Amino acid sequence: MQSEVAMSKPVNNPKTREWQAMSREHHLAPFSDYQQLAEVGPRIITKAEGVYLWDSEGNKILDGMAGLWCVAVGYGREELVQAAAAQMRELPFYNTFFMTAHPPVLELAKAIAELAPAGMNHVFFTGSGSEGNDTMLRMVRHYWALKGKPSKKVIISRVNGYHGSTVAGASLGGMKFMHEQGDLPIPGIEHIPQPYWFGEGGDMSPDEFGVWAAGELERAIDRLGEDKVAAFIAEPVQGAGGVIIPPDTYWPEVSRICRKRGILLVADEVICGFGRLGSWFGSQHYGIEPDLMPIAKGLSSGYLPIGGVMVADRVADAFIEKGGEFFHGYTYSGHPACCAAALANLEIMQREKLVERVADDIGPYLQAKWRALGDHPLVGEARMVGLVGALELVPARGDRSRKFASVGEAGTLCRDLCFDNGLVMRAVRDSMIISPPLVLSHEEADDMIARIVRTLDQTHAALKKDGRLAA
Ligand code: PMP
């Protein structure tokens, strides 16, 4: 996966050099090429405020990715710090195993249930989205065993989906380069095509393609046997795969198929949850009625690590009615300080009406400016929903089938120039993606767009000069 961090520039601050040496000597960072990391050294981020980051060289950078899609309320929120500190003074840790609980875990469970889609009233807490997906897999299989259908084990997911980096998370995800390291996926997981119209829709209209892509789920169920399939998992909008926004026909058809064929529907809300699409959950935006929803990221705005799985009553009731211990849990399931921070985060989101803001104010404001970027000669499509979007960079506008000679060359160049222009945007193959904090102001949105236009112009000029655009 391409990182957000561009190649480091010459270093002026001696502390930067010291930290980079520590990195080289001791730190194995996630999703990094260790040879490159050792040679170039990481960019060191030292502080943040609002939607801006500062690195150890004193550069101020607009964070177009909200950390890693998570810092919904922006940086520097003293309220979250105070909530976590107060909880740590009162009860820094106690587990939630073996019939035990504490106030913050219960209060948070109730608060999330009040925001979740109707009929979704229970939550199992984890430390991350990946652990949420591992929990989901075990829960789904446990559920079918309790229902007397233990052969229903297979989980269908999508090519290029992302569900985390643990063994189950990476297996559920459809990223081939992850599967190649470590003999994944584990058995019992099947991948079907993604609803990526721009890249894979061929001559079909988006609506026709949405029906076709959903139909792939039904064809997979036919192939595998309804009695073998436990669940289908998908992100409402595929994030790390490149902000793949499905055609309007996709989710209604997927929902219909899951209900008709008796398989559980899992909406991975790790990115879409907590306001990203302009509703509390992506499922509400698309009218999906999921049976389970992995959550994380925006739940605490990333201030402290917490995730979970929301469980619909029809599934939770089976656990409660049948009884018997669920042999699963993490030391940090429902960690008190993380729960306290998450509660404070949800309070801010409600008080400041951040979700409504994405739906009615900053969302439409940024979307209009974003769509206008679609006129740039380097952009084949500019798509955005809520506050998450992608720009497809293309060598020849108007021809979706034309690609750059080597995948990622334009994306990587654009991403690096973006950083030089003081903006974090992520490159996925040759699309540039953005997912800013939900508190982004109109002025900051204007600033962001101006930086993007400058970057696109520079990228276009550089590609043209090297003869890498179509004639
Ligand atoms: N699911 C989705 C949809 C995600 O985007 C991510 C993280 N990007 C995860 C799961 C995994 O979450 P974590 O990194 O917290 O384990």
Side-chain angles (χ1 to χ4, degrees):
M1 216 183 266
Q2 292 144 296
S3 76
E4 281 91 57
V5 177
M7 303 284 277
S8 286
K9 300 286 166 211
V11 162
N12 297 316
N13 179 358
K15 280 303 280 182
T16 306
R17 223 169 285 123
E18 239 178 81
W19 282 318
Q20 289 184 334
M22 288 178 201
S23 164
R24 192 165 47 247
E25 283 157 30
H26 304 293
H27 189 215
L28 296 176
F31 282 100
S32 297
D33 174 332
Y34 296 129
Q35 186 179 56
Q36 193 190 3
L37 189 65
E39 278 169 12
V40 180
R43 183 186 287 265
I44 314 287
I45 302 297
T46 49
K47 63 173 187 171
E49 183 64 38
V51 301
Y52 291 97
L53 306 165
W54 280 262
D55 69 14
S56 57
E57 293 296 298
N59 296 304
K60 182 180 176 187
I61 308 153
L62 204 170
D63 185 5
M65 284 304 296
L68 212 46
W69 323 81
C70 49
V71 188
V73 298
Y75 299 97
R77 293 294 195 136
E78 187 56 26
E79 242 176 290
L80 269 76
V81 179
Q82 291 302 335
Q87 183 57 48
M88 287 174 88
R89 278 185 208 105
E90 184 77 17
L91 178 74
F93 177 77
Y94 200 73
N95 69 71
T96 52
F97 284 37
F98 318 131
M99 315 267 290
T100 314
H102 47 69
V105 75
L106 301 174
E107 282 160 24
L108 182 61
K110 177 168 185 280
I112 305 174
E114 280 166 5
L115 303 170
M120 202 155 229
N121 288 303
H122 288 81
V123 57
F124 185 106
F125 285 109
T126 68
S128 68
S130 300
E131 289 175 3
N133 277 311
D134 279 53
T135 301
M136 177 284 295
L137 183 142
R138 298 202 58 205
M139 242 179 202
V140 158
R141 290 179 177 170
H142 182 50
Y143 167 80
W144 285 118
L146 287 178
K147 296 293 267 188
K149 296 184 177 174
S151 68
K152 278 171 88 69
K153 286 198 168 74
V154 176
I155 303 190
I156 299 174
S157 64
R158 306 186 299 191
V159 172
N160 199 35
Y162 189 81
H163 300 294
S165 189
T166 50
V167 169
S171 295
L172 289 163
M175 308 228 160
K176 273 211 183 65
F177 50 88
M178 291 178 75
H179 294 166
E180 280 161 11
Q181 293 176 339
D183 228 359
L184 302 176
I186 52 172
I189 292 170
E190 295 284 329
H191 296 89
I192 61 169
Q194 57 185 330
Y196 180 27
W197 177 79
F198 186 86
E200 298 170 5
D203 294 333
M204 282 184 256
S205 70
D207 280 353
E208 285 166 348
F209 181 67
V211 172
W212 175 84
E216 283 293 290
L217 172 60
E218 186 137 47
R219 289 183 280 283
I221 297 168
D222 288 339
R223 197 168 59 244
L224 296 160
E226 215 169 278
D227 60 328
K228 299 279 190 300
V229 179
F232 171 65
I233 180 169
E235 302 152 78
V237 168
Q238 230 165 291
V243 186
I244 311 293
I245 301 173
D248 291 343
T249 48
Y250 183 74
W251 274 113
E253 199 47 20
V254 164
S255 301
R256 185 188 67 75
I257 293 164
C258 287
R259 290 286 163 260
K260 181 175 123 205
R261 305 302 296 265
I263 72 168
L264 297 175
L265 177 50
V266 183
D268 184 336
E269 295 272 4
V270 168
I271 285 178
C272 296
F274 304 99
R276 180 59 53 197
L277 306 191
S279 38
W280 278 97
F281 293 92
S283 293
Q284 292 154 332
H285 179 84
Y286 285 110
I288 309 166
E289 290 178 15
D291 296 291
L292 297 106
M293 295 194 323
I295 53 174
K297 297 197 189 272
L299 170 57
S300 65
S301 283
Y303 275 61
L304 284 174
I306 183 164
V309 191
M310 302 239 33
V311 182
D313 297 348
R314 52 187 172 269
V315 175
D317 288 349
F319 296 143
I320 295 163
E321 279 160 23
K322 291 274 179 183
E325 185 170 340
F326 182 41
F327 299 110
H328 178 77
Y330 306 101
T331 300
Y332 302 129
S333 286
H335 187 286
C338 302
C339 289
L343 272 166
N345 177 60
L346 297 181
E347 271 165 36
I348 291 180
M349 292 188 75
Q350 284 171 302
R351 191 175 66 233
E352 298 183 5
K353 299 198 183 331
L354 292 186
V355 182
E356 292 84 343
R357 234 192 129 241
V358 175
D360 305 327
D361 177 21
I362 187 64
Y365 184 81
L366 187 65
Q367 286 156 25
K369 294 188 176 267
W370 195 258
R371 272 194 299 275
L373 296 175
D375 296 332
H376 192 278
L378 192 57
V379 177
E381 184 181 73
R383 54 177 180 266
M384 180 172 273
V385 54
L387 276 190
V388 60
L391 298 173
E392 295 273 0
L393 306 187
V394 289
R397 282 191 80 219
D399 183 354
R400 282 192 288 127
S401 65
R402 293 284 287 273
K403 306 267 186 287
F404 288 99
S406 80
V407 175
E409 61 176 320
T412 306
L413 174 65
C414 186
R415 189 267 328 268
D416 290 353
L417 288 168
C418 214
F419 233 107
D420 293 346
N421 286 319
L423 171 67
V424 178
M425 247 180 133
R426 180 154 156 184
V428 177
R429 299 177 302 276
D430 288 303
S431 48
M432 300 306 299
I433 61 183
I434 202 122
S435 175
L438 308 187
V439 292
L440 188 78
S441 70
H442 287 213
E443 297 69 37
E444 288 159 350
D446 294 346
D447 179 22
M448 191 167 89
I449 294 289
R451 288 170 201 263
I452 294 172
V453 170
R454 194 180 323 142
T455 305
L456 287 173
D457 288 346
Q458 291 168 348
T459 309
H460 187 255
L463 291 169
K464 194 167 175 184
K465 185 160 158 271
D466 297 347
R468 288 189 276 171
L469 295 176

